[in-house]
Amino acid sequence: MEKVRVLSARFDLPDSHTIEVYLRTGGYQALRKALTEMTPEAVIEEVKRSALRGRGGAGFSTGMKWSFVPREADKPKYVIANADESEPGTCKDRVLMEKDPHAVIEGILLAAYAVDAHLAFIYIRGEYWYLKERLERAIEEARERGFVGANILGSGFACEIIVHPGAGAYICGEETALMESLEGKRGYPRIKPPFPAVVGLYGCPTVINNVETLASVPPIILRGGDWFRQLGTEKSGGTRLFAVSGHVARPGVYELPMGYPMKRMIEEECGGIRGGKRLKAVIPGGSSAPILTAEEVEQCTLDFESLAALKSMLGSGAIIVMDEDTDIAQVVYRITKFYEHESCGWCVPCREGTRWMRKLLERLLRGEGRPRDIDLLYELARNIFGTTHCPLGDAAAWAVYPAIEKFRADFEAYVRAPVVSVSAEVSTPRRLAV
Amino acid sequence: MGMISAEAEKKIQEIIARYPVKRSALLPVLFVVQQELGYLPDEALEEVARWLDLTFLDVATTVSFYTMFHRRPIGRYHIQICRNVSCYLCGSEAIREHLERRLGIRCGETTADGRFTLSEVECIGACSWAPAMQINFTFYHHLTPERVDEILRSLP
C-alpha cells in the first residue's frame, strides 16, 4: 500500500507551525477554493464523497454529520473542534496541533462555511496549555492575513475562533459533556437525541468534530473526495494518524492509509517488539477498545470494518502494544481505576460498577481473590454495558470482559486455592430489564 | 476586593467579552485567577461569581468537577506523574516510587517547604514518549530515575 503523507506532510519541516510555512505548502488554498468556487452544499458533498469518518473515536461519517445541520434554522450555528484528547494511549492530536495548527484552523473554517456558522471553538484539554497558546498565535496570524474574522478573503463570510481550555475531566471529550463544559458547567453528558447537529451548544445547531477530522478537510477540498477515499478503504477513506505506545522498539505517531495491516505497522514502522520479545496483545483504539490477542492482530487491518469484525474498534487510533511478559490483569486494573476516576457519577451502573470492579481487581491482585471473583467481575462488566447514558460505561465494560475471555489465565494466576465453600456471600447479578 | 491584580482583571474582562453567553467564560476565568493566586479560595470564587452573574454555588460546584482546579494551596512545582496504561507498560511505577523516595512524600502530598506537590494523574497525552510527567504545564518524556533527578536539580 502506498504511504501518502496527507496530515503529516508538514511535520518534518522547520517552523511547520507558522503561517509562512503553511502558505508556502498550499495552506489556505482549500479555503480560497471553497469561498470562491463552491457552495456550502458542494463542500458537504465533497466531504461525503471522501468517506472521511470521525477520528475521535466513534467513526461517524463527517459529511453526514454536517448535512444534519438544518439549513434554515433561525438560531446561530456553531462549530467545535474537539481537542480534548484524553483517551488513554492517544497523543496524535497533540502532535498535529503542535506541528500543523493552521491545518486545524483551515478545517474549522471550511466546516463553518459548510454549515453557515460564524463562531467556532477549539475545546482543548487544559494540560495542553502550550498548544492553546500556539493555536491562539496561529489564529492571530490567520487573522492578519484575512483568513479569520470579518469578510474572509473578501467573500462576505465571517468566522471567529475561540480556543477554550478544559480543566481535567476525561468525560468532557464526549461531545455533549464537552458542550456542557463549554457552557461553564460540570461536564455531564446530555441524553441523545436530540443530537448536537440540531440542539447543541447553547441549544443551537452545532457541528463537533475531532481536530484530526477537521485537519483532513482542506486536502479533501483541494484534491477531491475521490482522491482521499482511494487512499484508504471503500468505507474508511483516507489516511489517519496512529499513536503507537507500549512495548515496541519505536513508539510514535505514524500516518498510515486506512486498511494498512496492523502487524506490518508494528513490525515495519515501529521496529517490532522491543528486546526481541513476542507480541502478547494489542489494545487497538485507546483504552476503551476491547483487547486483541496476537492471533487476532495477525488478521487485523487498520480500518473501522476490520476492527468491528473482531468485535473491537479503531476508536481514536491509539495502538497500545504489549509483549509476552505483560500481566493483563494488571493492565485491566489500571484501566478500570481510570474509568472509576473519570466516571461523572450520573449513571448508577457506571458510578457503582466501576468502583466495584476496581475493588474486585484490587482484591485479586493482593492475592486475596476468590475463585468466583473472576466470573463476578465478568458479569459485572456485562451488566454495566449498555446501561448508561454515555459511552463511558460501555468503555469501562469493554476494557474488562473481553480481557477475561481472552486472557483468563492471567486473572486466575491471582486466585487463591479455595479452602472451603462458604455460603453465597456474593451472588451473580441478574441482568436487569432496561 | 483587591485579591486579583488590575492586569489580571483586565484579562478576565476581555475573556468574558468574547463569549456569547457569560457563563461560558467560567473555566478560562478560573485559570486566570488560579494563575494569580496559586489556588481558588472561597473569596475568589465569590468574585468570579459576581463577574459572571452566577451564585457562589454555581461556581463552587463546577470547580469541584475538574481536577486541574485547586481549592487549597499546592506546592510551587506540581509534579504530575501519569499512571495510565501506556506509561505503566513503560515503567511509570518505578518513576513514582523514585519521586516519592527522593521527595520524602507520597502522591497527594506537599513537601514541608512548599516546593513540591506530587500527584498521580490519568493519561496526559504523552503515550508514545512514556513514561511521562508534567511539572506545572511543562511535559517531560522518556523518564528514568536519573533523568528525574536531573530535572529536579534544574528547577529554579
Side-chain angles (χ1 to χ4, degrees):
Chain A
M1 283 179 102
E2 202 192 350
K3 281 180 230 162
V4 187
R5 291 179 68 172
V6 181
L7 291 146
S8 63
R10 297 183 186 86
F11 284 9
D12 300 330
L13 303 175
D15 298 321
S16 62
H17 63 286
T18 61
I19 198 162
E20 287 78 18
V21 174
Y22 193 65
L23 288 171
R24 209 168 60 219
T25 50
Y28 291 110
Q29 290 298 322
L31 180 66
R32 191 177 297 273
K33 181 179 175 185
L35 292 181
T36 54
E37 298 169 26
M38 297 170 83
T39 61
E41 292 80 5
V43 171
I44 295 176
E45 272 316 303
E46 206 60 50
V47 174
K48 273 190 187 166
R49 193 169 307 132
S50 74
L52 172 63
R53 295 171 64 174
R55 304 305 197 224
F60 193 78
S61 158
T62 306
M64 288 288 277
K65 209 179 205 182
W66 293 7
S67 69
F68 292 155
V69 174
R71 297 224 64 85
E72 302 306 328
D74 53 0
K75 292 174 176 173
K77 296 164 200 133
Y78 299 102
V79 168
I80 302 173
N82 186 344
D84 195 48
E85 183 165 72
S86 310
E87 176 71 21
T90 317
C91 51
K92 46 102 185 166
D93 293 338
R94 185 176 154 199
V95 177
L96 177 63
M97 291 185 283
E98 183 175 321
K99 301 287 186 188
D100 204 355
H102 283 286
V104 177
I105 294 167
E106 189 176 6
I108 291 169
L109 294 166
L110 287 164
Y113 176 67
V115 302
D116 192 31
H118 304 284
L119 182 58
F121 298 89
I122 303 175
Y123 184 102
I124 186 163
R125 62 179 303 182
E127 292 87 347
Y128 288 180
W129 203 265
Y130 78 108
L131 293 175
K132 174 179 178 283
E133 290 172 347
R134 172 157 289 192
L135 286 161
E136 281 169 342
R137 263 199 306 278
I139 291 166
E140 285 319 303
E141 286 181 324
R143 185 192 309 283
E144 284 162 18
R145 311 276 182 133
F147 301 119
V148 169
N151 194 19
I152 295 171
L153 298 173
S155 67
F157 174 68
C159 188
E160 281 297 332
I161 305 175
I162 296 176
V163 188
H164 185 94
Y170 167 74
I171 191 62
C172 293
E174 195 280 332
E175 56 186 18
T176 61
L178 184 151
M179 288 176 202
E180 287 289 304
S181 178
L182 186 43
E183 291 180 8
K185 303 171 194 160
R186 294 167 77 90
Y188 289 135
R190 298 173 181 170
I191 294 172
K192 292 188 274 193
F195 290 94
V198 182
V199 182
L201 186 68
Y202 311 130
C204 298
T206 303
V207 157
I208 176 163
N209 290 127
N210 168 264
V211 283
E212 184 192 343
T213 312
L214 289 163
S216 304
V217 174
I220 290 170
I221 297 305
L222 214 48
R223 306 184 62 173
D226 291 330
W227 165 80
F228 187 82
R229 178 180 217 137
Q230 56 82 31
L231 295 175
T233 69
E234 182 61 21
K235 286 182 177 153
S236 305
T239 61
R240 81 176 283 185
L241 299 174
F242 294 95
V244 188
S245 64
H247 299 147
V248 288
R250 289 191 299 273
V253 174
Y254 297 93
E255 177 171 10
L256 290 168
M258 292 284 222
Y260 196 80
M262 182 186 280
K263 190 72 194 282
R264 189 172 154 199
M265 177 188 72
I266 293 171
E267 279 170 4
E268 291 181 14
E269 269 69 28
C270 307
I273 307 300
R274 70 178 191 196
K277 302 259 185 196
R278 284 207 319 239
L279 175 69
K280 178 166 182 173
V282 168
I283 299 176
S287 68
S288 302
I291 196 165
L292 302 178
T293 62
E295 295 73 44
E296 287 172 316
V297 170
E298 295 281 345
Q299 36 168 312
C300 178
T301 53
L302 296 166
D303 51 82
F304 293 106
E305 308 91 282
S306 172
L307 267 305
L310 289 165
K311 292 199 175 77
S312 185
M313 63 173 183
L314 193 55
S316 62
I319 312 287
I320 306 169
V321 181
M322 290 164 271
D323 71 15
E324 56 189 313
D325 298 334
T326 309
D327 180 342
I328 301 298
Q330 289 281 358
V331 169
V332 168
Y333 167 60
R334 258 134 203 107
I335 297 176
T336 301
K337 208 158 125 178
F338 165 72
Y339 286 112
E340 180 199 10
H341 183 258
E342 300 297 339
S343 172
C344 80
W346 192 266
C347 306
V348 176
C350 175
R351 183 186 67 217
E352 301 303 320
T354 51
R355 182 207 301 248
W356 193 359
M357 290 201 299
R358 189 261 303 158
K359 283 181 163 175
L360 278 171
L361 280 159
E362 244 163 30
R363 185 162 81 193
L364 205 62
L365 298 182
R366 274 202 311 267
E368 294 164 17
R370 289 169 285 202
R372 286 169 57 183
D373 282 354
I374 299 171
D375 289 332
L376 177 59
L377 188 61
Y378 185 87
E379 285 302 317
L380 197 47
R382 298 292 305 197
N383 276 281
I384 295 170
F385 192 85
T387 58
T388 57
H389 287 321
C390 94
L392 195 144
D394 293 350
W398 262 7
V400 174
Y401 75 79
I404 296 175
E405 282 169 4
K406 295 174 188 178
F407 298 97
R408 197 178 174 96
D410 285 32
F411 295 86
E412 280 174 343
Y414 286 99
V415 177
R416 289 187 309 194
V419 187
V420 266
S421 173
V422 277
S423 62
E425 268 179 82
V426 280
S427 59
T428 308
R430 274 182 304 120
R431 187 166 184 92
L432 302 173
V434 222
Chain B
M1 181 184 63
M3 270 186 114
I4 311 292
S5 68
E7 195 193 338
E9 187 164 347
K10 186 167 165 270
K11 202 157 143 194
I12 286 166
Q13 293 305 340
E14 278 168 15
I15 290 171
I16 296 171
R18 302 188 71 186
Y19 288 88
V21 174
K22 255 186 171 182
R23 184 169 180 160
S24 268
L26 182 54
L27 266 48
V29 165
L30 288 166
F31 272 114
V32 177
V33 175
Q34 183 164 280
Q35 192 82 30
E36 185 87 350
L37 304 176
Y39 71 113
L40 298 170
D42 282 358
E43 305 78 56
L45 298 192
E46 275 161 15
E47 186 73 15
V48 170
R50 270 195 295 277
W51 285 326
L52 296 175
D53 301 331
L54 298 171
T55 65
F56 169 79
L57 272 182
D58 289 333
V59 177
T61 56
T62 304
V63 165
S64 66
F65 191 81
Y66 298 94
T67 56
M68 290 180 75
F69 294 132
H70 310 297
R71 294 285 272 122
R72 284 184 199 85
I74 60 163
R76 179 170 164 207
Y77 296 108
H78 186 200
I79 303 177
Q80 300 145 84
I81 169 109
C82 176
R83 70 175 179 200
N84 215 296
V85 57
S86 300
C87 282
Y88 160 74
L89 291 172
C90 296
S92 62
E93 293 203 312
I95 301 300
R96 175 180 52 80
E97 284 162 17
H98 180 76
L99 273 162
E100 286 182 335
R101 249 196 326 273
R102 161 98 203 217
L103 299 174
I105 52 172
R106 306 282 298 270
C107 281
E109 295 175 353
T110 301
T111 53
D113 61 1
R115 192 166 157 82
F116 296 105
T117 296
L118 187 60
S119 300
E120 256 191 321
V121 293
E122 297 297 354
C123 188
I124 52 175
C127 322
S128 294
W129 316 283
M133 66 178 178
Q134 271 191 302
I135 301 182
N136 299 343
F137 285 107
T138 308
F139 280 94
Y140 296 91
H141 300 138
H142 301 299
L143 298 176
T144 60
E146 299 73 40
R147 172 117 175 81
V148 166
D149 288 345
E150 216 175 279
I151 293 162
L152 292 185
R153 268 198 306 273
S154 73
L155 295 172

Short mmCIF file of all heavy atoms in Angstrom, two decimals, chain A residues 51 126 161 173 183 333:
data_model
loop_
_atom_site.label_atom_id
_atom_site.label_comp_id
_atom_site.label_asym_id
_atom_site.label_seq_id
_atom_site.Cartn_x
_atom_site.Cartn_y
_atom_site.Cartn_z
N ALA A 51 -15.51 9.71 2.14
CA ALA A 51 -15.64 8.64 3.16
C ALA A 51 -14.80 8.94 4.38
O ALA A 51 -14.28 8.04 5.04
CB ALA A 51 -15.29 7.27 2.59
N GLY A 126 -6.88 21.19 29.24
CA GLY A 126 -6.07 22.19 29.93
C GLY A 126 -4.61 21.82 30.04
O GLY A 126 -3.73 22.70 30.06
N ILE A 161 -12.78 32.42 15.90
CA ILE A 161 -12.43 31.15 16.56
C ILE A 161 -11.91 31.45 17.97
O ILE A 161 -11.03 32.29 18.15
CB ILE A 161 -11.35 30.38 15.78
CG1 ILE A 161 -11.78 30.14 14.33
CG2 ILE A 161 -11.05 29.04 16.48
CD1 ILE A 161 -10.71 29.49 13.46
N GLY A 173 -14.45 14.87 26.77
CA GLY A 173 -14.19 14.52 25.39
C GLY A 173 -15.45 13.99 24.72
O GLY A 173 -15.56 13.98 23.50
N GLU A 183 -20.18 25.49 28.21
CA GLU A 183 -21.17 26.43 28.73
C GLU A 183 -20.87 26.84 30.17
O GLU A 183 -21.65 27.58 30.80
CB GLU A 183 -22.59 25.82 28.63
CG GLU A 183 -23.07 25.69 27.19
CD GLU A 183 -24.47 25.08 27.07
OE1 GLU A 183 -25.13 24.90 28.11
OE2 GLU A 183 -24.88 24.80 25.93
N TYR A 333 -6.58 -3.63 35.57
CA TYR A 333 -6.74 -2.91 36.83
C TYR A 333 -6.51 -1.41 36.62
O TYR A 333 -7.30 -0.57 37.06
CB TYR A 333 -5.79 -3.47 37.88
CG TYR A 333 -5.65 -2.61 39.11
CD1 TYR A 333 -6.76 -2.32 39.91
CD2 TYR A 333 -4.41 -2.07 39.47
CE1 TYR A 333 -6.64 -1.52 41.03
CE2 TYR A 333 -4.29 -1.27 40.60
CZ TYR A 333 -5.40 -0.99 41.37
OH TYR A 333 -5.28 -0.19 42.47
#
